[in-house]
Amino acid sequence: MKDAPQVQAARVTPLTCSGHTRPVTHLHFSGEVFISACKDGNPMLRDATTGDWIGTFIGHKGATWSAKLSQGTADKAVTGSADFSAKVWDTYSGQPTHSFSHNHIVRSVDFDGEANRVATGGQEKLVRIFDVRQGDTAVDEYAGHEGNIRSVVWQKGHGSEDRVLITADDRCIRYWDVRAGGKELHKWDTPNYPAQPITSLEQSRSFICVTAGKSVFFIDPQSREVTKQVDTDYDVSSVSLNPAMDKFVTGGSTELWVRVYDFATGTEQEVYKGHHGPIHTVEYSPDGGLYATGSEDGTIRLWKAVSGPYGLWN
């Protein structure tokens, strides 16, 4: 087992991953790889350390808004698209194994912990549950959101046992009990709607991480209360907390900067520019050695987050 990386102090040049032809909308790491969703409709799989291209998933006929890998093994991928479908892929063959039809754009997708079930959400304002062991028809759906669903996260760990599904539209987050047929467990309203709508929702090891307007919220997954709120002076599009839980990185929807913060104090520590368009998505690698950013400019950039040699940085 390799030693845990140390926090980096010096500035470094990011690695640029080309290949997409339109804005990159979502990134997700698992194991030794990561996947990117893009408005060009062609999700890509890459090496998590070097960014080297591994393969492209061909099959969608519209922009892909969301892409997730199965937990740990990364042997499956799921993608949500503007072609009114979500697809499950074999990451070794690159072939689709399931295609789930919808009546409108699918904005977000996620696997449960065993990658047997898929949750979807989007412009229909409905949460749908599919079971890959039971064909391509939804086994359940939950109504309640009044706006388009932006994010779907299947809560993993924290004693949830894949029981809790968390979804967000632009004004609220809803927690659903999957085993109770979609019973709503809790609802959290963003404090400054409509001026500052929710823009992203992701799960880190210990928090539900939310961006809304110019603020970042870290929500305890068990109490479902906001543990920390960090306010900025720009519109935040995405946030990722590193595995050590001492730093987090943000991207902005109206600026080109990547910003790194100290988690304990909420103070900005590093600011980098490399993209030529707003940043739609950010995520740390599982070991915290780097973080990836995806932009309106159609590129993915990898930024070293540790001291000393790492990957292609020597």
Side-chain angles (χ1 to χ4, degrees):
M1 180 180 294
K2 60 184 178 182
D3 294 335
Q6 297 178 355
V7 175
Q8 167 193 316
R11 302 173 71 88
V12 295
T13 301
L15 302 176
T16 302
C17 305
S18 302
H20 284 302
T21 59
R22 296 199 63 202
V24 178
T25 55
H26 194 236
L27 300 169
H28 182 247
F29 283 85
S30 181
E32 301 298 323
V33 295
F34 74 91
I35 191 171
S36 56
C38 180
K39 289 186 180 180
D40 63 14
N42 299 317
M44 292 186 180
L45 191 70
R46 296 180 182 272
D47 183 278
T49 302
T50 65
D52 289 344
W53 176 85
I54 297 172
T56 302
F57 301 102
I58 305 296
H60 280 298
K61 294 179 172 60
T64 50
W65 286 99
S66 177
K68 295 282 184 67
L69 294 163
S70 53
Q71 185 173 260
T73 61
D75 59 339
K76 296 177 185 176
V78 60
T79 53
S81 172
D83 66 6
F84 296 11
S85 77
K87 295 182 185 292
V88 176
W89 309 81
D90 182 315
T91 58
Y92 291 96
S93 69
Q95 297 301 307
T97 59
H98 298 272
S99 185
F100 306 131
S101 296
H102 293 67
N103 297 318
H104 215 310
I105 294 169
V106 181
R107 285 294 303 265
S108 186
V109 293
D110 199 12
F111 283 119
D112 70 357
E114 300 298 321
N116 288 324
R117 293 173 295 175
V118 170
T120 68
Q123 306 293 80
E124 292 181 85
K125 306 179 179 64
L126 293 174
V127 180
R128 283 195 169 90
I129 307 294
F130 298 85
D131 192 317
V132 299
R133 301 162 295 186
Q134 299 182 34
D136 292 353
T137 302
V139 297
D140 212 345
E141 65 179 40
Y142 314 147
H145 279 289
E146 298 177 3
N148 298 331
I149 296 172
R150 292 176 173 269
S151 300
V152 173
V153 171
W154 213 304
Q155 185 174 322
K156 302 172 180 71
H158 310 289
S160 66
E161 299 176 346
D162 293 330
R163 180 176 63 90
V164 179
L165 188 68
I166 310 170
T167 58
D169 58 25
D170 57 358
R171 70 182 302 167
C172 73
I173 294 171
R174 296 177 188 267
Y175 296 75
W176 311 86
D177 188 331
V178 178
R179 288 192 288 189
K183 175 184 177 182
E184 188 172 306
L185 299 170
H186 184 70
K187 178 173 174 280
W188 178 81
D189 291 297
T190 182
N192 298 315
Y193 182 85
Q196 297 192 29
I198 294 171
T199 50
S200 73
L201 162 72
E202 299 290 348
Q203 181 177 7
S204 70
R205 290 183 180 179
S206 298
F207 293 99
I208 306 302
C209 305
V210 179
T211 58
K214 293 178 168 59
S215 299
V216 178
F217 301 89
F218 297 94
I219 299 175
D220 183 277
Q222 294 179 310
S223 69
R224 300 175 186 138
E225 299 293 331
V226 174
T227 299
K228 179 180 286 291
Q229 176 178 341
V230 177
D231 298 321
T232 74
D233 59 2
Y234 59 94
D235 293 321
V236 191
S237 59
S238 183
V239 63
S240 182
L241 178 64
N242 72 351
M245 296 187 298
D246 59 0
K247 289 182 180 293
F248 65 91
V249 61
T250 67
S253 59
T254 57
E255 61 170 27
L256 312 181
W257 305 101
V258 180
R259 301 175 187 269
V260 181
Y261 292 79
D262 178 84
F263 178 73
T265 64
T267 57
E268 184 181 284
Q269 292 190 324
E270 304 166 36
V271 182
Y272 300 120
K273 184 178 178 182
H275 284 292
H276 301 289
I279 296 162
H280 298 309
T281 177
V282 299
E283 179 153 342
Y284 273 98
S285 62
D287 68 356
L290 61 79
Y291 55 87
T293 56
S295 170
E296 180 74 16
D297 66 15
T299 67
I300 300 162
R301 295 179 190 263
L302 305 182
W303 308 78
K304 187 163 73 84
V306 298
S307 59
Y310 181 88
L312 297 179
W313 291 279
N314 291 314

